[in-house]
């Protein structure tokens, strides 16, 4: 059973143009036993950064329709019982969330499909994997997301995932990766080279300059201009990630991008 509640406090986005991003509510809030307003969680800076991109897009063009459309997904039984607190917390922090979806763990994929979700973000690796297998482009959030800046959305593409063959492709997820990547690239082109609220980074851990160059060319062929590119030539990726502080890393389905 899937229940969807529209947030009447925010203006609803254009369903034909908006980029629908679903985030699990337990990643955004840390629920307390009897709290009417929850403490912020791992993904809170992410939602603020998505909102900042929307604000800047509308500053550039008040009629802009290519905006992030955020949906909060709740599958935890305990949190479903506290749905009023989730909605109250969203309003308290003035988050631009369009809809709240409440479903069982068995039905959460249905909630993603019903809302035409183009990117699903979760702290639960199993959930992200299930969504990918059902054709929903997904990425995993980790504890480092909590320390990410909120004024600029930083998205990291894995160059290794782009250039390696997709050994176990899911056609829907591959198509989702292409669609979301193209929309992200179009958003980035709305801003200049400097002071952009959206920053796209490419990190290629394996191989040399040829591998990094191949990944760059592939992204450019999909309409994605990269702000920063790093070729690690086999060096560990963790140090550069801690320095870059991306909100999320995109890798699943990228093997289907065509150069």
């Amino acid at each position: 059973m899937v229940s969807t509640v529209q947030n009447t406090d925010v203006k609803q986005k254009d369903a034909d143009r908006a980029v629908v991003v679903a985030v699990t509510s337990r990643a955004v809030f840390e629920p307390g036993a009897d709290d009417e307003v929850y403490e912020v969680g791992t993904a809170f800076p992410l939602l603020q950064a998505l909102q900042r991109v929307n604000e800047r897009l509308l500053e550039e063009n008040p009629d802009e329709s290519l905006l992030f459309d955020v949906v909060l997904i709740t599958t935890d039984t305990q949190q479903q019982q506290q749905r009023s607190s989730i909605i109250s917390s969203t309003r308290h922090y003035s988050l631009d969330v369009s809809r709240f979806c409440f479903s069982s763990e068995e039905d959460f994929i249905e909630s993603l499909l019903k809302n035409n979700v183009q990117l699903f973000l979760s702290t639960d690796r199993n959930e992200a994997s299930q969504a990918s297998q059902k054709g929903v482009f997904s990425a995993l959030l980790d504890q480092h997301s909590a320390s990410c800046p909120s004024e600029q959305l930083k998205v990291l593409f894995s160059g290794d995932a782009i250039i390696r063959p997709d050994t176990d492709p899911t056609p829907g997820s591959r198509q989702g990766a292409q669609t979301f990547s193209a929309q992200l690239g179009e958003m980035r082109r709305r801003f200049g080279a400097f002071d952009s609220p959206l920053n796209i980074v490419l990190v290629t851990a394996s191989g040399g300059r040829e591998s990094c160059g191949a990944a760059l060319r592939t992204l450019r062929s999909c309409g994605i201009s990269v702000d920063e590119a790093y070729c690690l030539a086999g060096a560990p990726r963790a140090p550069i990630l801690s320095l870059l502080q991306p909100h999320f890393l995109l890798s699943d389905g990228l093997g289907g991008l065509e150069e």
Side-chain angles (χ1 to χ4, degrees):
M1 182 74 179
V2 177
S3 171
T4 302
V5 178
Q6 192 173 87
N7 187 357
T8 56
D9 288 353
V10 302
K11 183 179 179 181
Q12 297 299 303
K13 311 299 187 296
D14 185 338
D16 294 325
R17 287 285 289 157
V19 181
V20 184
V21 178
V23 187
T24 55
S25 59
R26 65 173 171 275
V28 179
F29 300 121
E30 295 284 352
D34 300 307
D35 295 338
E36 183 64 23
V37 176
Y38 293 150
E39 294 295 320
V40 300
T42 299
F44 188 80
L46 164 67
L47 261 65
Q48 290 182 309
L50 292 170
Q51 189 164 325
R52 181 59 182 151
V53 173
N54 282 354
E55 290 169 354
R56 286 286 305 277
L57 284 167
L58 291 170
E59 286 173 11
E60 298 282 335
N61 176 13
D63 296 323
E64 181 63 74
S65 58
L66 183 65
L67 302 167
F68 287 117
D69 190 14
V70 179
V71 180
L72 281 194
I73 304 288
T74 302
T75 57
D76 294 0
T77 303
Q78 181 180 5
Q79 280 196 310
Q80 287 201 53
Q81 295 169 351
Q82 300 167 343
R83 64 171 62 192
S84 62
S85 294
I86 292 173
I87 296 173
S88 296
S89 299
T90 302
R91 289 171 174 163
H92 173 79
Y93 294 112
S94 301
L95 294 176
D96 186 11
V97 173
S98 296
R99 296 178 297 287
F100 306 91
C101 290
F102 302 91
S103 71
S104 65
E105 292 185 5
E106 294 77 20
D107 294 331
F108 90 93
I109 296 293
E110 180 186 345
S111 67
L112 300 179
L113 297 175
K114 278 188 172 182
N115 283 278
N116 297 313
V117 169
Q118 286 141 295
L119 176 66
F120 172 59
L121 298 167
S122 174
T123 52
D124 187 314
R125 185 177 298 274
N126 185 51
E127 281 187 346
S129 177
Q130 286 183 55
S132 291
Q133 291 171 11
K134 294 297 184 181
V136 181
F137 189 40
S138 305
L140 191 66
L141 299 170
D142 61 26
Q143 68 272 15
H144 298 297
S145 302
S147 58
C148 292
S150 58
E151 285 299 306
Q152 183 186 58
L153 177 66
K154 185 167 286 192
V155 180
L156 191 149
F157 281 85
S158 167
D160 304 274
I162 293 170
I163 61 178
R164 70 174 178 235
D166 200 344
T167 56
D168 187 23
T170 303
S173 184
R174 176 185 289 176
Q175 181 61 46
Q178 293 175 336
T179 301
F180 178 80
S181 299
Q183 290 173 315
L184 195 70
E186 186 177 351
M187 273 188 178
R188 180 63 187 87
R189 291 193 296 276
R190 297 287 201 271
F191 305 105
F194 304 103
D195 192 34
S196 170
L198 174 58
N199 185 260
I200 299 176
V201 183
L202 172 69
V203 172
T204 308
S206 60
R209 287 180 299 176
E210 295 79 7
S211 297
C212 190
L216 268 172
R217 290 192 298 272
T218 299
L219 289 179
R220 286 172 181 163
S221 72
C222 297
I224 303 167
S225 296
V226 172
D227 295 285
E228 304 174 54
Y230 299 88
C231 180
L232 305 186
R237 195 169 61 178
I240 192 70
L241 292 185
S242 64
L243 179 66
L244 292 172
Q245 293 187 306
H247 288 91
F248 53 88
L249 183 153
L250 299 178
S251 59
D252 288 347
L254 296 183
L257 296 180
E258 297 181 358
E259 185 179 329

